[in-house]
Each structure stands twice: as structure tokens, then as C-alpha cells.
Amino acid sequence: MSIDNERRVISVIVMNESSVLARVTSLFAARGYNISSLTVAPIPNSEMSHITIETQGSSRVMEQITKQLHKLIPVYKVIEHEEMVEKEMVLVKFPIAENLSDISALCSAYNGGIVNVGTEMVIAMVADEPSRVKHFIEATERYNPIEVVRGGVVAIER
Amino acid sequence: MQMSGAQMVCEAIIAEGVKTVFGYPGGAIMHVYDEIYKQNGFEHILTRHEQAAVHAADGYARATGEVGVAMVTSGPGFTNAVTGLATAYMDSIPMVVISGQVPLSLIGTDGFQEIDAVGISRPCTKHNFLVRNLEELPRIIKEAFYLARSGRPGPVLVDVPKDITVDIGEFVYPTEVNIPTYKPTYKGNKRQIEKAAEAIKKSKKPLLYVGGGAVLSDAYILVRELAEKTQIPVVETLMARGVMGAGNPLLLGMLGMHGNYSSNMAMSETDLVISLGARFDDRVTGKLSEFAKYADVIHVDIDPANIAKLVDVDYPIVGDVKQVLEDLIPLLEDVNTDRYQAWREILKRYDELHPQSFVDSDTEIKPQWVIERIGELVGEQAIITSDVGQHQMWAAQHYPFDRPRQWINSGGLGTMGFGFPAAIGAKVAVPEKTVINITGDGSILMNMQELVTAAEYKTPVINIILNNQFLGMVRQWQSFFYEKRFSETDLTFQPNFKMLAEACGGIGYDVTTKEEFDAALKDAIEKDQVCFMNVAISRFENVLPMVPAGGALFNMMLPQKSEDDKGEK
Ligand SMILES: Cc1ncc(C[n+]2csc(CCOP(=O)(O)OP(=O)(O)O)c2C)c(N)n1
């Protein structure tokens, strides 16, 4: 058995029908599996949606998760990502008094920029690998962020 | 053809070939009941509690292999049905439950008798539906029946809002089901089956471990054929009793917590477990790290999620037990049956050392005697249902089951109150058989109102109450593990069971001697009415052997080591 409690990203392709997301999430809850992040959106030109779940567990737990997901009637496909491109978006609100050019430079280092400027605050957006998003958030600490909203991971198999 | 949603529900049930529906009406389902009144395509049996309706549908399904159908109203009707759904879900029983729901416009308003049936039943159904418009109603019912009976069977809920039962539309019942996301695998992988056959030929101490899946897939003839052809010994789970047939010399018996010595030792010493539709329940495995420690494992199961869930599996085969055996058996033509001779002899020795036995008494009735006596008097003619507790284990250990679907009990959920309504369902399904519910004084009270149902519909179920004036199984654990602090398990305050049965239109018997027992059973069969047979049994009898929860299978408490309650043994 490989390393326990490894971080994993799974994509679940489901039929767009009522309460399908509830079926997926309650399966995790009922079996005591953890969800660290969850994103859902319809797949263009189809009757399916793509759910990306970031979770952790041993390989035995992961095997159960995928098998149990498969058992749900509206689940079409479960992809346990190995070779993937994953991205996460994050929005951060800063006080206008902070050094905007520093913030702007920081954002461009992480594939983003300032997306909104108001009278009291500015809003920056970054989309990058989840681990880099984490670093970005750490780096923003010194500019006194007022609010941070992460979007959750989306992934696609390479 | 134009018709109302309520009519469509009835027409769909008829189209599925259902002969009997068990149920209980109420506001949200009244339109459907109005149509039930008018139609004559199926019979409706009014139980006196929704839980009983679902258990009765369950008993019907277990006795026949067909889909059981129950109907309940919204809110409290549905919540009463939940234990029935969960019971069927845990034992993979094909069932469709149709529940009424408040009108669509009221959903989400906490309306009168509104409850989120789909939300509540999600963890205890194979699938569930909330019907959102009339057009999809026929397709949903078609899919519900298909899902219930295909793949790994299970209960499916269809929740129908009241306004949809009134709406009028065109009824076309689909002939085919197309669920692109649902494709159960029936046929096992050829290569894997070949490898499994090789492993069987190479092993020295193989063991067939047969579970409820063998019953569900109607594979018993093939299981017997496999055993005969290879001369491999067999152990059965609680759910598989009857698959091999009592008296078959290859059958060691039940295994697990209350399994017999030779079965549990066989599992502990085998070098190859051949699991057929068994799911390695913790009541079977005991301590996992000690379970079949020296064995490779062949695991045949229709549900991929069951495979390797708890133990490492060397030969996983996803498929229907019957179909896999059809492919496997021909590969074993040349198996050398002498190869397992030494192994069979070891196990025979174990059985002689610690047979499944009990010490009978002349002064009081032993529960095991009752079970064996029923076997002698009605044996194979009877269908036996049970409730949950010691009586269930004694029945599983001592009754001479000789075919599957003869033994009906709640294995996975362990639902007290299951036995009597399930027996009613079984009797309705197979009226020519004697149906006996073996129950306890605790369990029977959990659905005793069904006496009225059984009397009204003339379903002459014989309830044999093994009355120890205790919640016996809990009392047993208190004896062993809680220093005999019998907290809230003493049931010496009792109803008069005989009068209770009579008050509801049945017959009652009080039995205190073996002679009385024989006479009562004979009388009950002759009179052919629902009855309570209240049998006073020894109060402190324990179910042995026993593997304490979480212990290793080979560490069994054997009858000799029994406690000395009230000078017993
Ligand atoms: C609905 C329900 N409640 C509680 C239990 C826990 N339980 C398991 S066995 C048992 C005692 C059963 O007593 P009785 O029906 O008298 O049978 P006996 O064990 O005495 O044969 C209880 C309370 C259960 N299995 N089901």
C-alpha cells in the first residue's frame, strides 16, 4: 500500500439531474471521506457535468471512493488523476492604501493581476497550480488582505 | 392512452407483472389509492404499519426472487418506511417503494406532512427518484424496477408529488431501459476465471465461502455442482443458509461470530478462500488481521466495491455468481479430488471434536430443541423467517435448511420486528408452504399489530416465540462482557401472548413442555390461522459457540466454557 493520506484529485462526470451533487457529497459524508475542495460546472454541449474533488486518503480509501462513486446511478465516469493539469483561481481584496505596484507585480508572478479598483480597496485575481496559489496567498500576507476567496481545484487529464 | 398520474402508477405496476402490493394510504397518495380501488390487476394488502408493509414486500421478494412492492404516503408514512428500506438495502433485496409527496408547489415549504424523502432515503436505497413532471413518471417507474432487480439488487424509492398523480397525460410504458451510466457486469473476466481455476487446482486446503449473493443470483445448483465436482468443503454465511442443503457432507456449517467450530477453523487454516457472493462482513471475519491468514483469496462479487474492500484479494472476479460458476466449473473437469482428502479429514476431526450441539433438558424447553423439532416436524415444507436476537442465531445454527429462499432474516441491518411482516409477505408469495416466524418475546412486540393484517387476509403465519423473558441477545452480552448487569433487558413483565393473538383474530398457545409444543404445532398447521405460540424456554441459555466481537475466528467460546448462570451446565 502506498503512502497514507496523500492528496488526490478526482474528476467525476455525472448526468445533469436533480440532486446529483448531493448524491456525490453525501456519499463522502456517509463514508467519512474528506473533501478539501469541490468544483462543479456543466460540460459544454452535453447533458453531463464535471465535478472536481480534491480529497486525501490511502490507496485503499481511494479505491473505495472511486468504486462507490461508480456505483451511483448518475455517475458516468470517475477519473483518478495522475498526469493532470490542475488550476485554481483565487480572489483577494486589499486596502487601497497598500502598495499597488508591489501587489500588481506579485500577481503577475502568479499568472494574474489586479481586476478591480474601488475607492476603498482593490481586488486581485490569480489562477495557477493549487500549490502556487497557496504560496501566493502566503505572499499576500504582508499587504494586509481583507478577504481571500479560493475557487477550488479544476483538473484535466494530460 | 390519456390517464392520470395515479392511473399510470397502477398501470405501470400491472405492466411489471406485480401481483401484490403492500401499503398504507394517506393524503399525498390518496389519488393512487382511489385508482387501486377501481382496478383489479393486482391485490393490495393493508398492513397496520408502513414499516410492516415494506418488510412484507421484502419477505415477498426474498421468498420468490421477484421485486417486492410497497406503497406509503408522505411524511410519517415515508419515515415509517425507512427501517424497511434500510433492511432491504443492507441485504440487497429487490424492491420498489412508491411514496406520496406533497404537491410540487409546496415542496420546500415545510408543508403539512412534507419530508425530504429522497434526501432521507439516499443512504439506504440503491437509487431514488423525485418525480418532477407527469411525462417522466412511466420512465421513472420502469427504471425503478429495472434498477431494483438488476446488477446488485436493492430497494428503489419513487417519490410522487400529489399534483402529479392528478395530472392527465398520455401513458406509454417504455419497453426498454436506457441508463447510459449504469452497466452492471454479469460475466466474469475470462482470464481471471482461468487463473482462479489454476489456483484451485494448486491449493491443498481450499474452502468455498458462500454468501447471500449466491441466493440472490439463484446459483445454488451450480454451487452444489462445484462442491461435488471438486469435493471442496463449504461454509455458509447467515444469508446463505440453505444453499448447500443440510446433510450435505461437504457442508461444514455457518461461520462467523456464531459459526460452528469446524467452519471457523477451516477459515483460519485454509490456503485458498473461494468467496462466492459473500462480502466479508465483520460478523463473519472477526479480527481482520487473523481472518484466513494463510490463504489466497478468490472473490466473486457482482459489486466491484465489495471486492478487496476489507481483505486483500488475489483473484478478483466481478460478475454474477451464477454466470461466473458457469464459466468456472468446466475448467475444473480434471481436478483431482483426492488432493483435498487430507484437508477434509482434518475438518471432519474438528467437527467431531466440537460438533454443533447443545445439552438438552428434561425439565425445561431448550430453544435449540425447539428449532430442531420444527425441522423434524415440518422440515423442508416450511419457510422460516426470523427476527433478531438469540432465536435468530439458534435457527440459523440448528434448522435443517435444504434450499435457498427457505430462510428469511435481516442479516445486514439486524432489524427486530422484521420477522412477522416478512413472514406475511412470504406466505402471500408462496401460500402452499407453511410459514413459520421464529421470534423472541422482545422482537415480536415490535410489529405485533400485524396480527390484525394476517387475520384479515388469512395469511396463517405461525409465530413461535422463544420466550426467555429477556432481550436475550443483549442479556447474553451483558452476561459475558458487563458482569451480568442486566440493564433494561429483563422482560418479565409481559403481555398475555395467547390472549393478544386471540384479541386480534388469531390463535394463541402457551407451551411449557415438549409434548405441548408438538401438539400446538400440529394444531396450528391444521387450523391454518395466524397464531402466537408462546414457548417458555430456559431463561439463561446462551448462543454458543461465540467469537467475541473483534476477536479472531479461532478463539471461540465453546459450549463447555459456558457461564454458570443459574446453575446451568
Ligand atoms: C430495532 C432494533 N432495536 C434494537 C436492536 C438490538 N437488539 C439486538 S438483539 C436484541 C434482543 C432481542 O430480544 P428478543 O427478541 O427477545 O430475542 P432473544 O435474543 O431473546 O432471542 C436487541 C434489543 C435491534 N437489533 N433492532
Side-chain angles (χ1 to χ4, degrees), chain B residues 176-442:
Chain B
E176 287 198 358
V177 173
N178 177 23
I179 311 171
T181 52
Y182 177 73
K183 296 266 180 287
T185 309
Y186 293 98
K187 203 143 174 65
N189 178 291
K190 195 162 165 278
R191 188 76 204 93
Q192 284 300 98
I193 295 175
E194 282 164 11
K195 282 198 210 155
E198 287 312 309
I200 292 172
K201 287 184 209 165
K202 265 194 234 126
S203 79
K204 292 203 183 77
K205 300 169 161 186
L207 183 66
L208 284 170
Y209 161 42
V210 183
V215 177
L216 294 166
S217 86
D218 285 321
Y220 82 102
I221 292 178
L222 292 176
V223 173
R224 289 180 190 184
E225 191 184 326
L226 173 65
E228 300 297 343
K229 180 163 281 176
T230 57
Q231 293 292 306
I232 295 175
V234 182
V235 293
E236 288 175 349
T237 67
L238 174 70
M239 299 311 289
R241 298 304 272 150
V243 168
M244 275 303 277
N248 189 318
L250 289 165
L251 176 66
L252 299 172
M254 181 166 76
L255 89 162
M257 180 175 276
H258 292 299
N260 56 307
Y261 184 76
S262 60
S263 295
N264 284 355
M265 291 309 287
M267 190 52 91
S268 304
E269 294 182 9
T270 174
D271 65 358
L272 181 69
V273 175
I274 306 160
S275 169
L276 304 173
R279 62 189 177 94
F280 299 80
D281 185 274
D282 50 279
R283 282 289 190 267
V284 160
T285 61
K287 189 175 184 179
L288 265 178
S289 57
E290 297 294 334
F291 177 78
K293 205 174 174 178
Y294 308 108
D296 280 352
V297 177
I298 299 172
H299 191 171
V300 181
D301 202 303
I302 194 150
D303 180 357
N306 264 352
I307 291 181
K309 181 167 67 177
L310 295 158
V311 301
D312 290 330
V313 170
D314 305 272
Y315 306 92
I317 302 174
V318 178
D320 174 64
V321 174
K322 192 173 174 188
Q323 297 204 11
V324 170
L325 289 183
E326 274 166 9
D327 293 340
L328 175 66
I329 291 172
L331 302 178
L332 295 168
E333 283 305 337
D334 56 339
V335 78
N336 175 5
T337 56
D338 291 343
R339 213 184 142 76
Y340 317 130
Q341 179 65 25
W343 169 230
R344 286 192 299 269
E345 266 159 30
I346 294 171
L347 298 176
K348 190 158 161 250
R349 204 110 24 89
Y350 282 146
D351 207 42
E352 285 160 4
L353 203 58
H354 298 292
Q356 184 68 274
S357 65
F358 68 99
V359 184
D360 204 0
S361 159
D362 293 331
T363 52
E364 52 182 4
I365 301 183
K366 289 294 187 96
Q368 302 92 331
W369 177 86
V370 176
I371 306 288
E372 290 186 357
R373 193 70 185 142
I374 302 169
E376 284 161 18
L377 295 178
V378 290
E380 60 179 294
Q381 309 146 37
I383 290 179
I384 305 293
T385 71
S386 90
D387 270 298
V388 172
Q390 293 183 307
H391 59 273
Q392 174 190 29
M393 291 302 132
W394 286 317
Q397 290 175 334
H398 294 276
Y399 197 87
F401 297 106
D402 53 18
R403 64 193 145 84
R405 304 198 180 282
Q406 187 186 13
W407 166 235
I408 292 175
N409 79 122
S410 165
L413 197 67
T415 311
M416 288 170 74
F418 171 80
F420 186 15
I424 293 175
K427 183 71 189 177
V428 169
V430 194
E432 65 279 10
K433 296 271 184 214
T434 302
V435 178
I436 297 178
N437 175 35
I438 293 170
T439 180
D441 45 324

Side-chain angles (χ1 to χ4, degrees), chain B residues 388-391 414-416 440-443 446 468 470-474:
Chain B
V388 172
Q390 293 183 307
H391 59 273
T415 311
M416 288 170 74
D441 45 324
S443 291
M446 285 207 177
N468 49 15
F470 269 122
L471 293 173
M473 187 56 100
V474 184

Side-chain angles (χ1 to χ4, degrees), chain B residues 540-562:
Chain B
F540 289 92
E541 192 71 18
N542 292 319
V543 182
L544 291 167
M546 177 177 187
V547 178
L553 280 189
F554 51 80
N555 276 334
M556 306 189 75
M557 300 163 84
L558 293 158
Q560 291 89 322
K561 294 189 216 147
S562 174

Side-chain angles (χ1 to χ4, degrees), chain A residues 1 13-15 17-19 22-24 26 30-31 48 60 63-64 67-68 70-76, chain B residues 89 118 122-123 126-129 132 147 152 179-182 303-312:
Chain A
M1 248 3 53
I13 314 299
V14 298
M15 303 286 280
E17 54 180 56
S18 62
S19 72
R23 283 184 209 281
V24 170
S26 61
R31 293 184 184 261
M48 308 267 179
R60 175 160 269 162
E63 196 177 318
Q64 262 305 300
K67 283 176 170 176
Q68 293 295 343
H70 257 302
K71 268 177 81 171
L72 296 178
I73 308 296
V75 168
Y76 178 64
Chain B
Y89 179 70
V118 164
R122 198 175 292 128
K126 181 172 172 183
H127 194 55
N128 56 22
F129 298 91
R132 283 161 191 279
L147 289 170
R152 179 179 182 176
I179 311 171
T181 52
Y182 177 73
D303 180 357
N306 264 352
I307 291 181
K309 181 167 67 177
L310 295 158
V311 301
D312 290 330

